[in-house]
PDB file of all heavy atoms in Angstrom:
ATOM      1  N   GLU A 227      -6.172  20.696  21.703  1.00  0.00           N
ATOM      2  CA  GLU A 227      -4.770  20.904  21.430  1.00  0.00           C
ATOM      3  C   GLU A 227      -3.893  20.964  22.723  1.00  0.00           C
ATOM      4  O   GLU A 227      -2.809  20.411  22.818  1.00  0.00           O
ATOM      5  CB  GLU A 227      -4.685  22.294  20.734  1.00  0.00           C
ATOM      6  CG  GLU A 227      -5.223  22.295  19.343  1.00  0.00           C
ATOM      7  CD  GLU A 227      -4.410  21.531  18.306  1.00  0.00           C
ATOM      8  OE1 GLU A 227      -3.308  21.059  18.593  1.00  0.00           O
ATOM      9  OE2 GLU A 227      -4.951  21.330  17.186  1.00  0.00           O
ATOM     10  N   GLU A 228      -4.407  21.663  23.783  1.00  0.00           N
ATOM     11  CA  GLU A 228      -3.626  21.800  24.974  1.00  0.00           C
ATOM     12  C   GLU A 228      -3.382  20.537  25.711  1.00  0.00           C
ATOM     13  O   GLU A 228      -2.351  20.348  26.323  1.00  0.00           O
ATOM     14  CB  GLU A 228      -4.329  22.854  25.879  1.00  0.00           C
ATOM     15  CG  GLU A 228      -4.391  24.224  25.354  1.00  0.00           C
ATOM     16  CD  GLU A 228      -5.013  25.153  26.340  1.00  0.00           C
ATOM     17  OE1 GLU A 228      -5.482  24.768  27.432  1.00  0.00           O
ATOM     18  OE2 GLU A 228      -5.124  26.408  26.040  1.00  0.00           O
ATOM     19  N   GLU A 229      -4.394  19.593  25.581  1.00  0.00           N
ATOM     20  CA  GLU A 229      -4.237  18.309  26.213  1.00  0.00           C
ATOM     21  C   GLU A 229      -3.464  17.343  25.335  1.00  0.00           C
ATOM     22  O   GLU A 229      -3.075  16.245  25.832  1.00  0.00           O
ATOM     23  CB  GLU A 229      -5.578  17.737  26.572  1.00  0.00           C
ATOM     24  CG  GLU A 229      -6.428  18.627  27.540  1.00  0.00           C
ATOM     25  CD  GLU A 229      -7.780  18.063  27.754  1.00  0.00           C
ATOM     26  OE1 GLU A 229      -7.930  16.781  27.884  1.00  0.00           O
ATOM     27  OE2 GLU A 229      -8.796  18.753  27.718  1.00  0.00           O
ATOM     28  N   GLY A 230      -3.382  17.598  24.083  1.00  0.00           N
ATOM     29  CA  GLY A 230      -2.776  16.656  23.126  1.00  0.00           C
ATOM     30  C   GLY A 230      -3.673  15.504  22.892  1.00  0.00           C
ATOM     31  O   GLY A 230      -3.218  14.388  22.721  1.00  0.00           O
ATOM     32  N   CYS A 231      -4.967  15.747  22.894  1.00  0.00           N
ATOM     33  CA  CYS A 231      -6.008  14.702  22.780  1.00  0.00           C
ATOM     34  C   CYS A 231      -7.002  14.934  21.648  1.00  0.00           C
ATOM     35  O   CYS A 231      -7.123  16.044  21.202  1.00  0.00           O
ATOM     36  CB  CYS A 231      -6.732  14.510  24.088  1.00  0.00           C
ATOM     37  SG  CYS A 231      -5.728  14.090  25.525  1.00  0.00           S
ATOM     38  N   PHE A 232      -7.692  13.869  21.339  1.00  0.00           N
ATOM     39  CA  PHE A 232      -8.941  13.959  20.472  1.00  0.00           C
ATOM     40  C   PHE A 232      -9.917  12.911  21.005  1.00  0.00           C
ATOM     41  O   PHE A 232      -9.546  12.007  21.727  1.00  0.00           O
ATOM     42  CB  PHE A 232      -8.540  13.746  18.999  1.00  0.00           C
ATOM     43  CG  PHE A 232      -8.120  12.278  18.727  1.00  0.00           C
ATOM     44  CD1 PHE A 232      -9.092  11.408  18.239  1.00  0.00           C
ATOM     45  CD2 PHE A 232      -6.878  11.879  18.902  1.00  0.00           C
ATOM     46  CE1 PHE A 232      -8.746  10.069  17.934  1.00  0.00           C
ATOM     47  CE2 PHE A 232      -6.477  10.606  18.630  1.00  0.00           C
ATOM     48  CZ  PHE A 232      -7.410   9.634  18.126  1.00  0.00           C
ATOM     49  N   ASN A 233     -11.167  13.074  20.643  1.00  0.00           N
ATOM     50  CA  ASN A 233     -12.128  12.096  21.025  1.00  0.00           C
ATOM     51  C   ASN A 233     -13.008  11.719  19.825  1.00  0.00           C
ATOM     52  O   ASN A 233     -13.041  12.255  18.822  1.00  0.00           O
ATOM     53  CB  ASN A 233     -12.956  12.589  22.156  1.00  0.00           C
ATOM     54  CG  ASN A 233     -13.899  13.763  21.859  1.00  0.00           C
ATOM     55  OD1 ASN A 233     -13.962  14.197  20.681  1.00  0.00           O
ATOM     56  ND2 ASN A 233     -14.647  14.221  22.802  1.00  0.00           N
ATOM     57  N   PHE A 234     -13.763  10.616  20.109  1.00  0.00           N
ATOM     58  CA  PHE A 234     -14.698  10.140  19.106  1.00  0.00           C
ATOM     59  C   PHE A 234     -15.775   9.369  19.858  1.00  0.00           C
ATOM     60  O   PHE A 234     -15.584   8.943  21.011  1.00  0.00           O
ATOM     61  CB  PHE A 234     -13.994   9.233  18.081  1.00  0.00           C
ATOM     62  CG  PHE A 234     -13.207   8.063  18.683  1.00  0.00           C
ATOM     63  CD1 PHE A 234     -13.831   6.845  19.002  1.00  0.00           C
ATOM     64  CD2 PHE A 234     -11.841   8.201  18.952  1.00  0.00           C
ATOM     65  CE1 PHE A 234     -13.087   5.802  19.547  1.00  0.00           C
ATOM     66  CE2 PHE A 234     -11.125   7.232  19.505  1.00  0.00           C
ATOM     67  CZ  PHE A 234     -11.718   6.050  19.833  1.00  0.00           C
ATOM     68  N   MET A 235     -16.930   9.189  19.174  1.00  0.00           N
ATOM     69  CA  MET A 235     -18.055   8.520  19.778  1.00  0.00           C
ATOM     70  C   MET A 235     -18.317   7.198  19.036  1.00  0.00           C
ATOM     71  O   MET A 235     -18.295   7.150  17.835  1.00  0.00           O
ATOM     72  CB  MET A 235     -19.339   9.377  19.771  1.00  0.00           C
ATOM     73  CG  MET A 235     -20.585   8.712  20.289  1.00  0.00           C
ATOM     74  SD  MET A 235     -22.053   9.744  20.271  1.00  0.00           S
ATOM     75  CE  MET A 235     -21.784  10.651  21.775  1.00  0.00           C
ATOM     76  N   LEU A 236     -18.594   6.173  19.798  1.00  0.00           N
ATOM     77  CA  LEU A 236     -18.990   4.846  19.279  1.00  0.00           C
ATOM     78  C   LEU A 236     -20.429   4.622  19.575  1.00  0.00           C
ATOM     79  O   LEU A 236     -20.923   4.601  20.714  1.00  0.00           O
ATOM     80  CB  LEU A 236     -18.170   3.743  19.879  1.00  0.00           C
ATOM     81  CG  LEU A 236     -16.623   3.799  19.583  1.00  0.00           C
ATOM     82  CD1 LEU A 236     -15.908   2.668  20.369  1.00  0.00           C
ATOM     83  CD2 LEU A 236     -16.292   3.812  18.169  1.00  0.00           C
ATOM     84  N   VAL A 237     -21.275   4.422  18.548  1.00  0.00           N
ATOM     85  CA  VAL A 237     -22.629   4.054  18.756  1.00  0.00           C
ATOM     86  C   VAL A 237     -22.765   2.618  19.202  1.00  0.00           C
ATOM     87  O   VAL A 237     -21.754   1.867  19.181  1.00  0.00           O
ATOM     88  CB  VAL A 237     -23.503   4.276  17.477  1.00  0.00           C
ATOM     89  CG1 VAL A 237     -23.451   5.716  16.984  1.00  0.00           C
ATOM     90  CG2 VAL A 237     -23.005   3.385  16.355  1.00  0.00           C
ATOM     91  N   SER A 238     -23.945   2.199  19.627  1.00  0.00           N
ATOM     92  CA  SER A 238     -24.074   0.890  20.279  1.00  0.00           C
ATOM     93  C   SER A 238     -23.700  -0.213  19.309  1.00  0.00           C
ATOM     94  O   SER A 238     -22.989  -1.147  19.687  1.00  0.00           O
ATOM     95  CB  SER A 238     -25.566   0.726  20.671  1.00  0.00           C
ATOM     96  OG  SER A 238     -25.783  -0.540  21.179  1.00  0.00           O
ATOM     97  N   TYR A 239     -24.096  -0.085  18.009  1.00  0.00           N
ATOM     98  CA  TYR A 239     -23.819  -1.167  17.041  1.00  0.00           C
ATOM     99  C   TYR A 239     -22.281  -1.271  16.866  1.00  0.00           C
ATOM    100  O   TYR A 239     -21.705  -2.405  16.909  1.00  0.00           O
ATOM    101  CB  TYR A 239     -24.410  -0.799  15.738  1.00  0.00           C
ATOM    102  CG  TYR A 239     -24.072  -1.834  14.628  1.00  0.00           C
ATOM    103  CD1 TYR A 239     -24.776  -3.064  14.434  1.00  0.00           C
ATOM    104  CD2 TYR A 239     -23.050  -1.595  13.696  1.00  0.00           C
ATOM    105  CE1 TYR A 239     -24.495  -3.941  13.502  1.00  0.00           C
ATOM    106  CE2 TYR A 239     -22.688  -2.504  12.752  1.00  0.00           C
ATOM    107  CZ  TYR A 239     -23.398  -3.618  12.644  1.00  0.00           C
ATOM    108  OH  TYR A 239     -23.032  -4.599  11.658  1.00  0.00           O
ATOM    109  N   THR A 240     -21.557  -0.180  16.756  1.00  0.00           N
ATOM    110  CA  THR A 240     -20.086  -0.252  16.529  1.00  0.00           C
ATOM    111  C   THR A 240     -19.408  -0.823  17.733  1.00  0.00           C
ATOM    112  O   THR A 240     -18.398  -1.542  17.602  1.00  0.00           O
ATOM    113  CB  THR A 240     -19.568   1.180  16.237  1.00  0.00           C
ATOM    114  OG1 THR A 240     -20.245   1.761  15.146  1.00  0.00           O
ATOM    115  CG2 THR A 240     -18.067   1.151  15.923  1.00  0.00           C
ATOM    116  N   GLN A 241     -19.915  -0.597  18.929  1.00  0.00           N
ATOM    117  CA  GLN A 241     -19.292  -1.106  20.142  1.00  0.00           C
ATOM    118  C   GLN A 241     -19.286  -2.589  20.121  1.00  0.00           C
ATOM    119  O   GLN A 241     -18.419  -3.297  20.770  1.00  0.00           O
ATOM    120  CB  GLN A 241     -20.024  -0.593  21.369  1.00  0.00           C
ATOM    121  CG  GLN A 241     -19.944   0.914  21.631  1.00  0.00           C
ATOM    122  CD  GLN A 241     -20.741   1.309  22.830  1.00  0.00           C
ATOM    123  OE1 GLN A 241     -20.696   0.737  23.926  1.00  0.00           O
ATOM    124  NE2 GLN A 241     -21.567   2.348  22.640  1.00  0.00           N
ATOM    125  N   GLN A 242     -20.240  -3.246  19.443  1.00  0.00           N
ATOM    126  CA  GLN A 242     -20.254  -4.695  19.433  1.00  0.00           C
ATOM    127  C   GLN A 242     -19.355  -5.310  18.301  1.00  0.00           C
ATOM    128  O   GLN A 242     -19.176  -6.494  18.317  1.00  0.00           O
ATOM    129  CB  GLN A 242     -21.767  -5.137  19.164  1.00  0.00           C
ATOM    130  CG  GLN A 242     -22.756  -4.509  20.049  1.00  0.00           C
ATOM    131  CD  GLN A 242     -22.539  -4.765  21.511  1.00  0.00           C
ATOM    132  OE1 GLN A 242     -22.131  -5.892  21.918  1.00  0.00           O
ATOM    133  NE2 GLN A 242     -22.673  -3.730  22.334  1.00  0.00           N
ATOM    134  N   LYS A 243     -18.813  -4.412  17.434  1.00  0.00           N
ATOM    135  CA  LYS A 243     -18.143  -4.891  16.250  1.00  0.00           C
ATOM    136  C   LYS A 243     -16.584  -4.692  16.291  1.00  0.00           C
ATOM    137  O   LYS A 243     -15.879  -5.202  15.413  1.00  0.00           O
ATOM    138  CB  LYS A 243     -18.696  -4.281  15.038  1.00  0.00           C
ATOM    139  CG  LYS A 243     -20.172  -4.608  14.797  1.00  0.00           C
ATOM    140  CD  LYS A 243     -20.447  -6.086  14.594  1.00  0.00           C
ATOM    141  CE  LYS A 243     -21.972  -6.439  14.411  1.00  0.00           C
ATOM    142  NZ  LYS A 243     -22.149  -7.844  14.190  1.00  0.00           N
ATOM    143  N   VAL A 244     -16.173  -3.814  17.177  1.00  0.00           N
ATOM    144  CA  VAL A 244     -14.745  -3.484  17.253  1.00  0.00           C
ATOM    145  C   VAL A 244     -14.142  -3.729  18.673  1.00  0.00           C
ATOM    146  O   VAL A 244     -14.916  -3.789  19.655  1.00  0.00           O
ATOM    147  CB  VAL A 244     -14.468  -1.983  16.773  1.00  0.00           C
ATOM    148  CG1 VAL A 244     -14.951  -1.827  15.340  1.00  0.00           C
ATOM    149  CG2 VAL A 244     -15.183  -1.033  17.714  1.00  0.00           C
ATOM    150  N   VAL A 245     -12.809  -3.659  18.786  1.00  0.00           N
ATOM    151  CA  VAL A 245     -12.176  -3.993  20.044  1.00  0.00           C
ATOM    152  C   VAL A 245     -11.967  -2.761  20.946  1.00  0.00           C
ATOM    153  O   VAL A 245     -11.727  -2.953  22.123  1.00  0.00           O
ATOM    154  CB  VAL A 245     -10.821  -4.703  19.813  1.00  0.00           C
ATOM    155  CG1 VAL A 245     -11.025  -5.984  18.987  1.00  0.00           C
ATOM    156  CG2 VAL A 245      -9.846  -3.760  19.169  1.00  0.00           C
ATOM    157  N   VAL A 246     -12.075  -1.574  20.373  1.00  0.00           N
ATOM    158  CA  VAL A 246     -11.702  -0.339  21.185  1.00  0.00           C
ATOM    159  C   VAL A 246     -12.453  -0.266  22.425  1.00  0.00           C
ATOM    160  O   VAL A 246     -11.868   0.006  23.511  1.00  0.00           O
ATOM    161  CB  VAL A 246     -11.867   0.866  20.285  1.00  0.00           C
ATOM    162  CG1 VAL A 246     -11.571   2.142  21.080  1.00  0.00           C
ATOM    163  CG2 VAL A 246     -10.989   0.893  19.068  1.00  0.00           C
ATOM    164  N   PRO A 247     -13.752  -0.424  22.508  1.00  0.00           N
ATOM    165  CA  PRO A 247     -14.498  -0.282  23.740  1.00  0.00           C
ATOM    166  C   PRO A 247     -14.117  -1.364  24.799  1.00  0.00           C
ATOM    167  O   PRO A 247     -14.435  -1.185  26.023  1.00  0.00           O
ATOM    168  CB  PRO A 247     -15.998  -0.366  23.326  1.00  0.00           C
ATOM    169  CG  PRO A 247     -15.965  -1.077  22.062  1.00  0.00           C
ATOM    170  CD  PRO A 247     -14.714  -0.696  21.377  1.00  0.00           C
ATOM    171  N   LEU A 248     -13.499  -2.358  24.345  1.00  0.00           N
ATOM    172  CA  LEU A 248     -13.133  -3.469  25.256  1.00  0.00           C
ATOM    173  C   LEU A 248     -11.832  -3.142  25.975  1.00  0.00           C
ATOM    174  O   LEU A 248     -11.468  -3.791  27.059  1.00  0.00           O
ATOM    175  CB  LEU A 248     -12.925  -4.799  24.529  1.00  0.00           C
ATOM    176  CG  LEU A 248     -14.175  -5.310  23.756  1.00  0.00           C
ATOM    177  CD1 LEU A 248     -13.817  -6.619  23.012  1.00  0.00           C
ATOM    178  CD2 LEU A 248     -15.347  -5.564  24.687  1.00  0.00           C
ATOM    179  N   LYS A 249     -11.093  -2.141  25.479  1.00  0.00           N
ATOM    180  CA  LYS A 249      -9.846  -1.759  26.094  1.00  0.00           C
ATOM    181  C   LYS A 249     -10.071  -0.866  27.345  1.00  0.00           C
ATOM    182  O   LYS A 249     -11.080  -0.054  27.319  1.00  0.00           O
ATOM    183  CB  LYS A 249      -8.979  -1.115  25.129  1.00  0.00           C
ATOM    184  CG  LYS A 249      -8.456  -2.016  24.002  1.00  0.00           C
ATOM    185  CD  LYS A 249      -7.402  -1.409  23.151  1.00  0.00           C
ATOM    186  CE  LYS A 249      -6.796  -2.396  22.181  1.00  0.00           C
ATOM    187  NZ  LYS A 249      -5.730  -1.890  21.323  1.00  0.00           N
ATOM    188  N   GLU A 250      -9.191  -0.885  28.220  1.00  0.00           N
ATOM    189  CA  GLU A 250      -9.270  -0.069  29.440  1.00  0.00           C
ATOM    190  C   GLU A 250      -8.514   1.236  29.311  1.00  0.00           C
ATOM    191  O   GLU A 250      -7.649   1.372  28.434  1.00  0.00           O
ATOM    192  CB  GLU A 250      -8.777  -0.875  30.654  1.00  0.00           C
ATOM    193  CG  GLU A 250      -9.436  -2.153  30.905  1.00  0.00           C
ATOM    194  CD  GLU A 250     -10.870  -1.988  31.299  1.00  0.00           C
ATOM    195  OE1 GLU A 250     -11.236  -0.918  31.822  1.00  0.00           O
ATOM    196  OE2 GLU A 250     -11.651  -2.973  31.120  1.00  0.00           O
TER     197      GLU A 250
END
Side-chain angles (χ1 to χ4, degrees):
E227 295 287 351
E228 294 183 358
E229 301 176 42
C231 299
F232 69 95
N233 68 1
F234 53 87
M235 176 180 277
L236 299 177
V237 298
S238 178
Y239 177 83
T240 305
Q241 292 177 50
Q242 309 302 317
K243 301 296 181 180
V244 300
V245 302
V246 177
L248 301 177
K249 292 188 174 183
E250 303 294 337

